[in-house]
Amino acid sequence: MHQQLTERPVDLDPRETAEWIEALDQIVEGAGPDRATFLLDKLTDRARENGVAVPFRASTPYVNTVPAWQDVPYPGDRALERRIKSLVRWNAMAMVSHQNKVDDGIGGHISTYASLATLLEVGFNHFFHGSYGDQPGDLVYFQGHASPGVYARAFLEGRLSEDQLHNFRHELRATPGLSSYPHPWLMPDFWQFPTVSMGIGPINSIYQARFMRYLENRGLIAKTPRKVWAFLGDGEMDEPESTGAIGVAVREKLDNLIFVVNCNLQRLDGPVRGNGKIIQELEGIFRGSGWNVIKCIWGTDWDRLFEKDTSGRLIQLMTECVDGEYQSFKAKGGAYARKEFFGRYPETAALVEDMTDEEIGHLHRGGHDPAKVYNAYKAAMEHTGGPTVILAKTIKGYGLGEAGESRNPAHNSKKLKETEVEVFRARFEIPLSEEEARACSLYRPPQSSPEIAYMHERRRALGGYLPSRKPGPSKTTAIPAEVIEEYRHASKEPHPSTTMAFVRLLTRLMKVPDIGKRIIPIVPDEARTFGMEGMFRAYGIYASGGQLYKPHDSDMLLFYKESKEGQILEEGITEAGSMAEFTAAGTAYANYGVDAIPFYIYYSMFGFQRVGDMIWAFADSRGKGFLLGATAGRTTLNGEGLQHQDGHSLLLASTVPSLAAYDPAFAYEIAVIVRDGIRRMYQDREDLFYYLTLYNDNYPQAEQPEGSDEGIVKGIYLFKKSELAKPKARVQLLGSGPIMVEAIKAAVILAERYSVAADLWSVTSYNELRREALKIERWNRLHPAEPAKKPYIQQVFEGTEGPIVAASDYMKVVQDQIAPWLPGRFVALGTDGFGRSESRSYLRRHFENDAASIVVAALSKLARDGKFDAKKAAKAIAEMEIDSEKPDSATA
Ligand SMILES: Cc1ncc(C[n+]2csc(CCOP(=O)(O)OP(=O)(O)O)c2C)c(N)n1
Ligand SMILES: [Mg+2]
């Protein structure tokens, strides 16, 4: 902006310029701004026709977007609201400061809420709906580390106790307190959205707004004026996730979405844009994408100065200064601002001649002026046809004086000195004694006091308290047993892959009465890869605008059908966007009272390692649903090279506490797991979600062994016991995913060529087996005087004979998870190392998880155990055509 201003060409005919401006002013005054917009648009077109270069500016002057003359008077009781806000401020500060005095280093944040207070309070008193009649209300994403302010308000409302505040970050003490940040996992009745990992709030809120429209358009929820509000940090906007999906909000015309960026000009270490202006930069980015941008920069007390400024110098000066300077103007006080800001031009210096330094120091920024904030919010509420972002200029550490106002270390200031507390108390007129104030006591007037009564009255008018998380009762009935019956039987030619079997199951589930419509398939541009294109026509791809064109393949059976009522969420190439959509769907049971059952299917490699943080946030949100890592396996996905071949997602999955991860081999395993998963998540309301690997290798889908349902969900079952008569030795072969087929082949070779009996086990989940074993082991540890219990994995292998060779298409450490409970017997074969663009058989030989390698591993271990002739074992390696000296895949 600065450059643009100074680079403007010289005015060759100021009189003519003045006439044009006057003409425009007359239009605005006489016919209104809409008419002026129309005329400017027409003129722009004409200019372009005539070859005139129309100047493009992504940003507007550095002033409020809503002009002062448009401001409506504030509807609330300003004095009472100021009291309330002061009390919230005090309690937020006192809670953090007190806690850091008694428990040094416990952490917490003071300065962020100090900058955000007015932005939130205006929302709480006038905008945030707790409900719309009997419908859930607005969904508010709070800046995570501003949680002290949200707690302090809930304390004044009587929703949180003094004990809870006193035990901030002491969740494990005798009287448990409040969690550091918004964590639904830790405070499930309170917080809805975990936001503190920067960037997750912005992207999740965009897809929340999109998913809300999806539910409305499909008739699953009533249409209401409900909004998604997302309060974000200006530093946070640097995360790619923060701005990476803003185009979606425009495309989808999400006028149910309001971003409020708390532009306090600072992040953790220092200024967000010391050498520039974050508000102008964000304005350009959002305007360029088509958002409605409302800048709320200056408070009402500046209006008088704007009016007085006939020279235009004030706006020029405002536009010239960079954020690093604005930070100093606040940090160094009124005298400094008079000299360094207003003093830069005689015209601007004159504007403040009649003001004291103190008055200059107190000139408000827009984000601290309730009237300006109210008008910005009002404009956002009234905007239709697209999303709005409010860029509100605030002061980090507002009210903290020298303890932090606009100071670089403000972010990390956790406790105030006694003198600083005193300044704070005086400034916000907190009726505590000096001693109480110094001790950072909390202060809550009686519920009958005018300020508290006012708070309650406002919340009553707006339909209830926020934040609040209220999952409804289960609305889901069991998937009828017959739905999965067909999957229990062996497949016929042509044999399907587990991916195909899953897609068939999904479409079958979509036909189940009542449940079917709540199944939400989500896919990022890979539906054809997974054989899902048949679903396009049958269920339609959700498109808020319907289908505005006749698809070129409309005469084909499986044409590309987009529809406003479409059920499939085809997100395009965005795993992050898809994960955000999955999050909105997987938490709909809590936010909308709709038991949506999302199935998000994607390339397994582009899941955990790409959007792992979002998956973690999903777990924190108590999300439910199914993640399907398709094209799974480091050797099964052939020809794709090392950036596609996933050999570790199961390991990463094991790190998420509420995630049950499975690596199924056969169609019936998938069917049993999915049916049981729906029972646990939606009927029994357990807080967990599922990850299943799906492969694209076609092989015979086996007949389900009798009575294996329980083992399938627990993680292991006996697939086939060897019937070899008089074997020389015995081994236990464990397989998962398509490597189960290799294990089956290995069992045949071992029996036929080496007279070794191999019992076959299918392991659906090493992760689940380990978790159960750890749980039992812990119980045993804590109950040494009672008879020890036995983990399931030990029960299963009790009485079995020989080494246990466990092979999968994942890293060996996945199988190793159960090794501690099978001492001395366990051998893992897996896919450690980078992938290759090879075909399956070569890959499996390279990684040593093919049938031949399983045979060799079994014989070798038998030999080491003294149960098989070592020379014969060595010879078998040659017979299996394996080169003992070949490179180790782990490092190759
Ligand atoms: C992904 C991620 N990286 C780093 C952090 C650590 N962190 C917490 S707050 C913060 C600064 C935030 O600055 P801003 O977004 O401007 O918020 P403000 O406190 O200024 O309102 C950082 C870096 C985080 N929470 N998440
Ligand atoms: Mg900031």
Side-chain angles (χ1 to χ4, degrees):
M1 216 35 224
H2 180 185
Q3 272 181 353
Q4 283 170 357
L5 271 180
T6 51
E7 282 168 12
R8 270 188 205 171
V10 181
D11 192 347
L12 298 175
D13 190 345
R15 244 177 78 175
E16 188 184 37
T17 311
E19 279 169 23
W20 277 77
I21 290 174
E22 195 183 329
L24 180 68
D25 288 347
Q26 279 172 7
I27 296 285
V28 176
E29 263 170 49
D34 288 351
R35 173 71 187 152
T37 307
F38 176 84
L39 285 176
L40 285 172
D41 203 34
K42 279 274 165 215
L43 283 173
T44 308
D45 283 350
R46 174 53 60 94
R48 285 211 177 94
E49 281 162 28
N50 289 340
V52 175
V54 178
F56 170 77
R57 271 196 245 150
S59 55
T60 59
Y62 198 57
V63 293
N64 295 350
T65 306
V66 182
W69 61 266
Q70 257 183 24
D71 283 346
V72 298
Y74 197 72
D77 183 327
R78 285 286 293 270
L80 270 184
E81 289 190 22
R82 181 172 187 275
R83 282 268 330 113
I84 295 165
K85 189 167 57 190
S86 299
L87 294 175
V88 181
R89 282 184 186 287
W90 172 265
N91 288 311
M93 182 281 294
M95 178 180 82
V96 176
S97 197
H98 174 267
Q99 202 65 326
N100 279 277
K101 282 178 186 165
V102 298
D103 189 346
D104 196 24
I106 191 84
H109 299 267
I110 294 175
S111 298
T112 298
Y113 178 70
S115 65
L116 189 66
T118 302
L119 292 169
L120 285 192
E121 279 302 301
V122 172
F124 276 120
N125 285 321
H126 300 282
F127 291 92
F128 303 158
H129 280 258
S131 64
Y132 286 92
D134 59 353
Q135 295 294 313
D138 296 336
L139 303 173
V140 185
Y141 289 71
F142 294 98
Q143 244 187 302
H145 52 292
S147 57
V150 181
Y151 289 145
R153 178 169 241 272
F155 166 64
L156 291 176
E157 289 167 342
R159 299 200 297 139
L160 294 176
S161 68
E162 190 153 344
D163 273 348
Q164 283 173 299
L165 264 72
H166 264 311
N167 283 299
F168 175 56
R169 293 186 176 225
H170 283 179
E171 297 137 298
L172 304 174
R173 315 280 165 114
T175 311
L178 305 168
S179 75
S180 55
Y181 299 120
H183 294 302
W185 189 266
L186 304 178
M187 293 176 62
D189 303 326
F190 196 82
W191 293 116
Q192 290 173 289
F193 309 112
T195 43
V196 84
S197 176
M198 315 254 107
I200 286 183
I203 190 167
N204 276 355
S205 61
I206 290 173
Y207 282 87
Q208 181 71 260
R210 169 167 148 88
F211 188 70
M212 184 192 291
R213 289 281 183 256
Y214 167 89
L215 289 177
E216 287 173 359
N217 285 329
R218 291 196 52 227
L220 290 167
I221 57 170
K223 284 192 178 157
T224 63
R226 190 193 282 130
K227 302 268 183 211
V228 175
W229 292 81
F231 288 84
L232 313 168
D234 49 356
E236 177 175 20
M237 298 313 290
D238 281 344
E239 292 284 1
E241 290 86 350
S242 298
T243 52
I246 60 174
V248 173
V250 175
R251 210 159 61 226
E252 296 291 312
K253 303 189 171 62
L254 298 178
D255 50 17
N256 55 346
L257 177 65
I258 300 172
F259 270 16
V260 181
V261 187
N262 173 15
C263 295
N264 54 25
L265 314 186
Q266 288 174 241
R267 43 181 164 70
L268 196 154
D269 284 342
V272 178
R273 289 292 181 275
N275 296 322
K277 280 205 282 300
I278 187 64
I279 291 181
Q280 298 300 85
E281 185 178 327
L282 290 175
E283 179 185 34
I285 293 169
F286 280 90
R287 280 187 85 206
S289 280
W291 282 56
N292 175 40
V293 178
I294 300 174
K295 294 195 287 192
C296 178
I297 303 178
W298 308 108
T300 308
D301 36 14
W302 288 86
D303 288 341
R304 193 179 62 89
L305 302 180
F306 285 124
E307 251 169 52
K308 266 177 42 179
D309 177 38
T310 47
S311 67
R313 278 284 200 214
L314 183 58
I315 295 181
Q316 181 191 333
L317 174 62
M318 288 170 161
T319 308
E320 280 170 5
C321 287
V322 292
D323 283 353
E325 291 174 300
Y326 279 113
Q327 198 187 340
S328 299
F329 299 149
K330 275 299 167 195
K332 295 190 174 174
Y336 181 87
R338 181 193 299 279
K339 180 159 174 276
E340 299 297 328
F341 179 71
F342 292 107
R344 201 166 296 181
Y345 298 106
E347 297 92 329
T348 45
L351 292 176
V352 290
E353 263 168 9
D354 59 347
M355 291 171 75
T356 64
D357 288 347
E358 203 185 351
E359 282 168 339
I360 292 177
H362 280 155
L363 279 168
H364 281 90
R365 290 193 174 163
H368 291 291
D369 181 338
K372 293 294 182 191
V373 171
Y374 180 86
N375 278 286
Y377 286 4
K378 180 172 167 288
M381 295 290 285
E382 287 166 0
H383 181 72
T384 55
T388 293
V389 58
I390 291 164
L391 303 172
K393 184 160 167 155
T394 60
I395 296 165
K396 194 140 179 171
Y398 182 82
L400 298 182
E402 299 196 348
E405 199 162 277
S406 286
R407 307 287 206 280
N408 281 334
H411 189 89
N412 285 338
S413 78
K414 317 263 176 232
K415 50 185 168 192
L416 303 195
K417 293 195 204 103
E418 290 188 351
T419 47
E420 293 163 346
V421 168
E422 181 44 35
V423 171
F424 196 98
R425 182 187 73 100
R427 174 158 183 181
F428 295 110
E429 298 162 28
I430 308 299
L432 286 175
S433 71
E434 217 168 281
E435 229 160 85
E436 288 167 324
R438 275 199 212 135
C440 284
S441 305
L442 300 173
Y443 177 70
R444 176 165 55 184
Q447 295 290 306
S448 58
S449 63
E451 48 271 56
I452 303 294
Y454 183 90
M455 280 178 106
H456 287 306
E457 192 283 315
R458 290 313 305 149
R459 291 317 309 160
R460 240 190 322 273
L462 289 162
Y465 298 93
L466 281 176
S468 166
R469 187 178 172 279
K470 292 185 204 130
S474 167
K475 296 188 178 83
T476 303
T477 48
I479 302 284
E482 65 265 23
V483 169
I484 66 162
E485 210 42 52
E486 66 179 276
Y487 299 92
R488 298 192 192 270
H489 302 294
S491 63
K492 302 190 181 72
E493 299 245 29
H495 297 294
S497 64
T498 50
T499 306
M500 288 178 199
F502 163 77
V503 172
R504 234 179 269 160
L505 174 70
L506 184 65
T507 46
R508 178 70 188 85
L509 289 174
M510 287 168 84
K511 294 195 184 89
V512 174
D514 183 48
I515 287 176
K517 62 176 188 294
R518 289 187 279 110
I519 302 271
I520 320 284
I522 302 172
V523 64
D525 199 43
E526 295 288 355
R528 289 180 201 278
T529 311
F530 308 141
M532 293 168 71
E533 62 271 35
M535 293 169 68
F536 291 167
R537 160 83 188 275
Y539 296 97
I541 294 163
Y542 172 70
S544 55
Q547 191 157 37
L548 305 176
Y549 60 97
K550 189 173 171 190
H552 80 86
D553 52 2
S554 58
D555 52 347
M556 317 254 285
L557 190 63
L558 305 177
F559 71 92
Y560 198 80
K561 183 179 151 194
E562 299 194 61
S563 148
K564 197 168 175 176
E565 295 84 37
Q567 190 162 353
I568 301 165
L569 286 162
E570 156 64 85
E571 298 297 351
I573 309 171
T574 167
E575 282 76 14
S578 305
M579 191 59 216
E581 193 87 80
F582 181 69
T583 305
T587 52
Y589 75 96
N591 297 329
Y592 303 95
V594 174
D595 278 5
I597 309 177
F599 287 81
Y600 168 31
I601 180 166
Y602 55 92
Y603 257 78
S604 71
M605 192 68 155
F606 307 133
F608 290 89
Q609 69 174 24
R610 178 120 192 171
V611 292
D613 200 17
M614 296 180 74
I615 294 176
W616 187 258
F618 181 90
D620 187 346
S621 312
R622 297 175 174 259
K624 301 176 193 292
F626 295 91
L627 292 174
L628 289 313
T631 54
R634 194 157 275 160
T635 69
T636 308
L637 178 61
N638 61 13
E640 295 273 14
L642 67 77
Q643 283 197 345
H644 282 72
Q645 291 166 342
D646 165 37
H648 51 280
S649 65
L650 286 165
L651 189 62
L652 300 177
S654 76
T655 62
V656 182
S658 63
L659 177 62
Y662 288 89
D663 191 16
F666 299 118
Y668 61 82
E669 295 178 3
I670 295 173
V672 167
I673 294 163
V674 167
R675 180 165 182 258
D676 192 59
I678 291 177
R679 175 188 67 78
R680 287 181 66 190
M681 292 186 286
Y682 293 93
Q683 290 169 253
D684 298 353
R685 278 282 188 261
E686 278 188 57
D687 285 311
L688 83 162
F689 65 117
Y690 281 72
Y691 175 57
L692 273 70
T693 53
L694 299 175
Y695 296 84
N696 61 355
D697 189 358
N698 301 333
Y699 52 78
Q701 299 296 323
E703 183 86 13
Q704 181 178 2
E706 254 336 280
S708 54
D709 275 21
E710 188 194 351
I712 290 173
V713 297
K714 283 191 157 171
I716 187 169
Y717 63 94
L718 182 62
F719 179 74
K720 193 164 183 271
K721 197 167 168 60
S722 170
E723 284 158 9
L724 185 67
K726 298 198 189 132
K728 282 194 192 143
R730 204 163 187 97
V731 292
Q732 309 300 318
L733 298 188
L734 279 52
S736 303
I739 302 305
M740 183 66 193
V741 179
E742 299 293 329
I744 295 170
K745 282 188 213 157
V748 173
I749 299 170
L750 283 167
E752 289 180 355
R753 295 184 67 158
Y754 303 102
S755 294
V756 170
D759 300 329
L760 282 162
W761 302 80
S762 177
V763 183
T764 51
S765 180
Y766 287 97
N767 296 17
E768 288 296 291
L769 291 171
R770 176 178 176 81
R771 283 181 182 172
E772 195 264 356
L774 288 175
K775 201 165 132 186
I776 301 285
E777 193 174 74
R778 174 177 178 271
W779 190 92
N780 288 343
R781 189 165 65 241
L782 296 176
H783 302 84
E786 300 189 45
K789 296 181 182 180
K790 218 169 236 164
Y792 187 67
I793 188 66
Q794 283 181 337
Q795 293 173 32
V796 159
F797 283 108
E798 207 162 32
T800 61
E801 201 184 309
I804 297 169
V805 181
S808 84
D809 215 7
Y810 279 80
M811 289 175 70
K812 298 176 187 88
V813 67
V814 172
Q815 290 95 287
D816 281 345
Q817 289 184 94
I818 59 168
W821 294 277
L822 302 166
R825 296 176 70 185
F826 204 76
V827 179
L829 298 177
T831 56
D832 294 35
F834 289 124
R836 296 285 193 283
S837 322
E838 255 292 3
S839 50
R840 279 180 199 128
S841 58
Y842 283 89
L843 284 168
R844 287 178 184 164
R845 181 55 54 95
H846 171 70
F847 284 106
E848 298 161 15
N849 66 347
D850 61 350
S853 303
I854 295 172
V855 168
V856 164
L859 296 179
S860 188
K861 175 72 173 142
L862 279 171
R864 292 262 175 225
D865 291 350
K867 303 237 174 81
F868 194 80
D869 184 85
K871 288 209 180 78
K872 281 189 186 154
K875 201 163 149 243
I877 297 179
E879 286 165 2
M880 290 291 114
E881 297 176 359
I882 288 176
D883 172 6
S884 314
E885 305 312 318
K886 79 185 186 64
D888 181 352
S889 69
T891 47

